[in-house]
Amino acid sequence: MEKEQYQQLEQNATPKPPYFKNVAKAFLVGGLICTIGQAVSLFYIIFFDFTEATAGNPTVATMVFFAMILTGFGLYKKIGQFAGAGSAVPVTGFGNAVVSAAIEHRSEGLVLGVGGNLFKLAGSVVLFGVVSAFFVALIKFILVTIGVVSW
Amino acid sequence: MAMTFVFAFFVGGIICAIGQLLMDYGKLTPGHTLSTLVVAGAILDGMGLYEPLINFAGAGATVPITSFGNSLTHGAIAEAERHGLVGVLTGMFEVTSSGISAAVVFGFIGALIFKPKGNVD
Amino acid sequence: MKLLGMMLPLLVSLSLLSGCGEKEKVIVYGSPENEKEVEAILKEEDYVDKTTVIQYDNSMLVAVQIKPWDKWKKAKLEKKLQKKFDEKYPSKDVFVSADYKIFYEANKIKREQVEDNKLKDKITKLKKLAKEET
Amino acid sequence: MVIVFQSKPSLIAGGVVAGPLEKRSIFSQYFDANYDDERWQMKTNEQGHRKMVEEACEFAMKKAGVKKTDIDYFMGGDLINQMTPTNFAARDLDIPFIGLFSACATSISSIIVASLLTEVGASNFALAGASSQHNAVERQFRYPINYGSQKPQTAQWTVTAAGYALIGKHQEEYPSIEAATVGKSVDYGMDDPFHMGAAMAPAAFQTIQSHLEQRNQKIYHYDLILTGDLGQLGLKLLKGMFVESGIKSEELTPLRDAGAEFYGQDETFQSGASGAGCSAAVFLSYVIQQMRAGTFKRVLLVATGALLSPLTFQQGETIPCTAHAIEITMK
C-alpha cells in the first residue's frame, strides 16, 4: 500500500476531536478559574491597600500558589485532561508548567535538575511575551515620534 | 461589583475557548498556544484594547496568560514615554513581576515538598 | 454535561442579584455645603452608577462607580468627570476616581464618621493610593 | 528475510512484573506480581524501573528453576536514554549483556537474538525481554508527570511493566520458536507523537505480510496474530490495510492487539496501552500460559516500535517505525 493511500486511510479512520464539547469544557473551567481570580482580587482590594489596577499582581501570585498545591497533589493533571486550554490558558496553567517541571526534575538535584529545567515548558511564554512586548513598544515609539499616534 | 464576576467568567471563558480552538482546530501544542496568546495580549495592548478589557472584565482579563503580554507591553510603553527608546527595554517588567517570581518561588518550594505522582488509582 | 447543568442557574442568579433596587445614588460626607449641586452634576452623567463624595475644607474626593456595561471606557469617563468637576470648582482641589477601592474606602470613612484632621489625612492617602501604578 | 530455526528454541518461562495501575488490566491475572508503588520503593523513577527489570528476571529464573550463574546471556532494552535502567539491571544480574533498542519492539528483537544464540549452540539459557515505566518514559518523551496537558483520543498510555523470557534448547512441553522476521524501518509520513498507532501500523503490516509470504502461510493458519501496542486506532488501521490488500475482514479474526485490549474499554486510557512493557508483559504471560493450556497452537507475536526521540519530533521529522515478529508453536 502506498504512502498517500495509507495517509488517506488514516485521515478517515482517525476521529476528529470533539470540538464543541472541548470548547464548552474549556470555556466553563476557564471562566470558573477567572471567577475565582476575581474573588481573590476582590479580597486583596478590600483587606489590603490594592486598587483595582494594582490588585492584578497579588492575584496572579495567589493563583500560582493554588496551581502549586493542585499540581503537587497531582490534581491539576486531571483538571487539565478534562478542561484542556481551560486550565492551561489562565496563569494557573503557567504556574502548573513551572511547578510540574520543577517537581519532575527534583531527582536530578536542585541546581542542575530544578534549576536547569524550571522553565522547560513555560520559558517560551516568557520569551515570546518579552520579545513581542519589545517590538510592539518599539513600533509604538516609532509611530509616536513620527507623530502618527499619540501616547 | 457583582456584575464584574459575571463578566470575568465570560471573558475568561472566551479567552480559554479561543485557546482550546487553537489547540484542537489549529493542532497547536500547549506551548505554541500559550505563546500565541501572549503575543496576542501584547499586540492588543499596543493597540490600547487590553486596558479597557481589564476595566470591563477584571480578573477575566488579568488571569489569562494574555495579560502577561499586556503588562509587559504596558510597562515598556509607559517607560518609553518617560525615558525614550531605552525605556522600551528598561520598562519591560515594570508593571508585572509577580507572575514569574511567584512561579519560580512556588516551583522551588513545590520541588522540595512534592514528588512526581503518576496515576496509580 | 452535568457540570453545565449545575453552572447555568448559578450564573443567571449572579447577574440578577446585581441589578438590585435604587439605593440613594449619591452620598456626600464631610462639609455638605454644595450637596445639591454635586448631585445635579452627577445626575447628568448617565454612565454613573453610585458615587460617594468626601469633602473637607477645600479638598474634595469623588469616588464614583461606573455602570457595568460602560466600564469599557472607565479611563476616559474618569478624565471627563475630573475635567467637569475642575471647571465647576476651580478653587477646590478635586480628585475623581472610578476605582472600587477608593469607593469602598470612601464609604468606610462615612460609616466610621471620621472627623476633621483625620479626614484630611484619609483623603490624601486615598489620592496617593489611586495614583499608584504597580 | 525470514529466519527459520531448525532447533526450535523454547520459551521455557516468562517473568512479568507490573505497576500499581496495571492491576486494572484485563491481563493482570496472568502477571507474576503487581507492585503497589510505581517506583518500587526507590528514590527515582529510573531506579524503580531498574528494580522492576531485576524482579521480572528473577521471576523468570525462579519459574524455570534456574540460577543466575546458569544464564549465558541477558538481552533487553527499554525506552529511556541509553537504556540505563536495563544496563544497571544487567550490572546487578551480573550476566553477559547485550543492550537492544527497537523502541516498543525490543521484547521480540531481544528474543530473536537470544534464539539465534541458542540455535548456534552458544547459549543454553538466555534471558530476553523488555520493559517500560510510565513516569520515566513520559517525562522523557512528552511532558512532566504533573503537567496538566490534555491527551487527545489517539494518545496511548505507557504501561509500567517488565517482561523477560527464559529461552533455552528445544523442549517438547514448552512453546517453541519456529521462525522470526526482522522488520524494516518503515516511515509513512506520520509525525504526531500522540498518534503512535497510525505510525506503527504500516510497519506491522509489512512485517506480517512478508512473514506470511516467506513462510507461504495465510492468516487463518494462525490461532492468534498479536501485535504489540498499536492501540484501538492502530489495530483499526492495520485491519484496514489488510482489507485494502484484498483479505476479507471476517478472515482477520486472529488479528488482535495487546495495547488495544490491555486496559479493556476504559475511557481514561484513550486509545489503549503502549510502551515496551505492554507487548513484553502480554506476550510473556498471557500468550505463553494460554499456549501451554492449549488454547493457541500457532501464534505470531509482532511487537511494534516507534523509533522517534523528543529531538526528532522538535526538528520536524516524521516517525519511522519497525515491527519484529516471532512464530511460536505448541504441540
Side-chain angles (χ1 to χ4, degrees), chain A residues 139-151, chain B residues 46-48 77:
Chain A
I139 292 164
K140 179 132 195 189
F141 179 77
I142 293 166
L143 290 179
V144 167
T145 37
I146 299 169
V148 169
V149 172
S150 72
W151 286 113
Chain B
M47 298 192 282
I77 289 175

Side-chain angles (χ1 to χ4, degrees), chain D residues 232-244:
Chain D
Q232 275 130 22
L233 284 173
L235 184 62
K236 212 166 91 180
L237 283 167
L238 182 64
K239 288 185 172 171
M241 290 177 86
F242 272 114
V243 167
E244 204 76 31

Side-chain angles (χ1 to χ4, degrees), chain A residues 1 3 5-7 9-10 13-15 17-18 71 76-77 80-82 84 96-97 100 104-105 107-108 121, chain D residues 44 139 143-151 153-154 187-190 195 198 201-202 233 236-237 241 244 270:
Chain A
M1 176 184 265
K3 226 183 246 193
Q5 212 182 346
Y6 176 73
Q7 275 161 4
L9 180 71
E10 191 262 337
T14 312
T71 307
Y76 208 90
K77 157 168 65 152
Q81 181 59 36
F82 174 78
N96 169 254
S100 61
E104 191 58 51
H105 293 283
S107 48
E108 281 84 71
L121 297 171
Chain D
T44 70
R139 70 193 288 243
Y143 292 118
I145 302 304
N146 293 350
Y147 180 53
S149 69
Q150 186 177 44
K151 283 199 171 133
Q153 299 134 306
T154 57
D187 186 343
Y188 267 44
M190 295 294 137
H195 193 8
L233 284 173
K236 212 166 91 180
L237 283 167
M241 290 177 86
E244 204 76 31
Q270 280 97 25

Side-chain angles (χ1 to χ4, degrees), chain D residues 5-6 16 41 75 87 95 102 107 115 117 121 128 138 145 151 170 174 207 240 274 276 291 328 330:
Chain D
F5 297 102
Q6 307 307 341
V16 171
Q41 317 295 3
M75 248 144 292
N87 303 342
I95 304 169
S102 5
S107 53
S115 313
L117 285 169
E138 284 297 310
I145 302 304
K151 283 199 171 133
H170 179 66
Y174 295 118
T207 301
S274 82
M291 288 189 87
I328 310 178
M330 181 73 190

Side-chain angles (χ1 to χ4, degrees), chain D:
Chain D
M1 264 267 280
V2 70
I3 308 164
V4 180
F5 297 102
Q6 307 307 341
S7 74
K8 291 195 193 143
S10 285
L11 278 161
I12 297 168
V16 171
V17 173
L21 191 62
E22 282 60 38
K23 289 195 187 100
R24 289 169 62 172
S25 160
I26 60 170
F27 299 113
S28 65
Q29 76 230 347
Y30 299 102
F31 297 160
D32 296 313
N34 267 82
Y35 225 71
D36 286 336
D37 173 25
E38 58 194 346
R39 279 186 276 278
W40 264 260
Q41 317 295 3
M42 304 294 281
K43 213 158 71 64
T44 70
N45 288 313
E46 285 70 23
Q47 283 168 357
H49 192 170
R50 167 176 60 78
K51 193 85 168 46
M52 181 172 67
V53 170
E54 282 161 25
E55 278 199 15
C57 293
E58 251 123 46
F59 269 109
M61 287 189 274
K62 190 146 61 47
K63 277 168 133 179
V66 168
K67 289 197 302 309
K68 231 180 1 179
T69 46
D70 310 334
I71 309 287
D72 300 311
Y73 292 98
F74 169 62
M75 248 144 292
D78 51 67
L79 304 171
I80 306 303
N81 285 343
Q82 292 76 37
M83 301 177 300
T84 44
T86 311
N87 303 342
F88 282 72
R91 173 190 65 190
D92 302 335
L93 287 170
D94 196 23
I95 304 169
F97 164 66
I98 305 172
L100 291 141
F101 182 83
S102 5
C104 305
T106 311
S107 53
I108 295 300
S109 57
S110 52
I111 289 176
I112 291 175
V113 174
S115 313
L116 284 167
L117 285 169
T118 313
E119 174 89 355
V120 298
S123 150
N124 291 323
F125 291 109
L127 271 170
S131 62
S132 60
Q133 205 253 9
H134 177 263
N135 293 0
V137 171
E138 284 297 310
R139 70 193 288 243
Q140 178 184 304
F141 277 88
R142 297 195 178 92
Y143 292 118
I145 302 304
N146 293 350
Y147 180 53
S149 69
Q150 186 177 44
K151 283 199 171 133
Q153 299 134 306
T154 57
Q156 289 165 264
W157 184 271
T158 308
V159 164
T160 302
Y164 273 81
L166 191 82
I167 293 164
K169 294 252 181 295
H170 179 66
Q171 284 169 31
E172 219 34 59
E173 66 276 22
Y174 295 118
S176 45
I177 303 164
E178 283 203 10
T181 297
V182 176
K184 298 179 191 161
S185 173
V186 174
D187 186 343
Y188 267 44
M190 295 294 137
D191 58 6
D192 179 1
F194 284 100
H195 193 8
M196 294 290 198
M200 293 190 284
F205 177 74
Q206 254 185 34
T207 301
I208 296 171
Q209 212 176 25
S210 84
H211 188 88
L212 293 177
E213 260 160 42
Q214 309 260 327
R215 297 274 285 162
N216 48 58
Q217 296 162 332
K218 288 279 181 278
I219 290 185
Y220 55 76
H221 284 112
Y222 286 90
D223 306 325
L224 169 67
I225 298 183
L226 192 61
T227 50
D229 54 356
L230 295 178
Q232 275 130 22
L233 284 173
L235 184 62
K236 212 166 91 180
L237 283 167
L238 182 64
K239 288 185 172 171
M241 290 177 86
F242 272 114
V243 167
E244 204 76 31
S245 75
I247 297 167
K248 287 194 282 315
S249 57
E250 50 282 1
E251 281 177 43
L252 295 175
T253 42
L255 205 55
R256 284 167 56 191
D257 181 65
E261 299 170 22
F262 195 85
Y263 289 115
Q265 293 313 326
D266 194 331
E267 242 307 294
T268 52
F269 298 101
Q270 280 97 25
S271 172
S274 82
C278 169
S279 57
V282 176
F283 290 175
L284 304 178
S285 64
Y286 168 73
V287 173
I288 289 184
Q289 283 160 32
Q290 288 299 325
M291 288 189 87
R292 292 181 69 178
T295 331
F296 304 123
K297 281 278 174 283
R298 184 178 292 277
V299 170
L300 186 65
L301 294 177
V302 186
T304 50
L307 305 168
L308 82 159
S309 84
L311 249 29
T312 59
F313 164 66
Q314 285 162 14
Q315 289 161 1
E317 302 272 4
T318 52
I319 304 173
C321 296
T322 180
H324 304 301
I326 52 170
E327 179 185 335
I328 310 178
T329 52
M330 181 73 190
K331 281 296 163 296

